[in-house]
């Protein structure tokens, strides 16, 4: 059994910052790619940022230069530092991880989501 738990969402004014965290726990052998997705009302879920185990990152163009994804492999945790937030960043943010379990099978796991609301 593996769980992803996000934290750090909330309400912030435009131009402000938030830091999201995603903690993976359970029967984990190793964690491969970790990612943050978001879904706004009426929109499809989109990939915001990804990070490989060795730290290679990728971002959707709308957040480049404002968001930074990082991870601490020793803590099984990923982070998303969000600066210069805009009202259009308002969404539920989900953590995703590709995890090799102790059964030596790789599964795709999702967190429950954390709400980020940016007021204008």
């Amino acid at each position: 059994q593996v769980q992803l738990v996000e934290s750090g969402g909330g309400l912030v004014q435009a131009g402000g910052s938030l830091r999201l965290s995603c903690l993976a726990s359970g029967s984990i052998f190793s964690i491969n790619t970790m990612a943050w997705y978001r879904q706004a009302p009426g929109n499809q879920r989109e990939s915001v940022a990804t990070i490989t185990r060795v730290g290679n990152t990728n971002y959707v163009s709308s957040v480049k230069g404002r968001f930074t994804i990082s991870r601490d492999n020793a803590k099984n945790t990923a982070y998303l530092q969000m600066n210069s937030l805009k009202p259009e960043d308002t969404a539920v943010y989900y953590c995703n991880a590709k995890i090799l379990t102790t059964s030596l099978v790789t599964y795709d796991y999702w967190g429950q989501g954390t709400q980020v609301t940016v007021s204008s």
Side-chain angles (χ1 to χ4, degrees):
Q1 192 81 356
V2 172
Q3 281 190 319
L4 298 183
V5 178
E6 301 106 333
S7 60
L11 173 64
V12 64
Q13 287 189 330
S17 298
L18 285 174
R19 189 192 195 207
L20 306 183
S21 298
C22 171
L23 171 64
S25 63
S27 304
I28 297 170
F29 186 84
S30 66
I31 302 175
N32 299 321
T33 300
M34 300 187 80
W36 289 95
Y37 286 72
R38 66 185 179 187
Q39 187 167 19
N43 290 358
Q44 289 190 332
R45 190 172 297 189
E46 67 168 349
S47 174
V48 175
T50 62
I51 185 167
T52 67
R53 182 167 180 80
V54 297
N56 296 319
T57 60
N58 193 35
Y59 299 91
V60 68
S61 59
S62 59
V63 307
K64 282 182 181 178
R66 301 189 297 121
F67 291 11
T68 302
I69 188 171
S70 61
R71 63 190 286 172
D72 185 332
N73 291 332
K75 295 181 179 180
N76 288 342
T77 300
Y79 305 96
L80 185 66
Q81 178 66 44
M82 305 185 293
N83 299 327
S84 302
L85 282 160
K86 304 175 181 180
E88 51 263 43
D89 294 318
T90 295
V92 178
Y93 283 71
Y94 296 91
C95 179
N96 170 267
K98 291 175 173 44
I99 296 176
L100 179 63
T101 66
T102 53
S103 301
L104 301 182
V105 178
T106 298
Y107 293 101
D108 213 22
Y109 290 95
W110 292 89
Q112 81 286 354
T114 185
Q115 176 70 45
V116 171
T117 302
V118 184
S119 63
S120 57

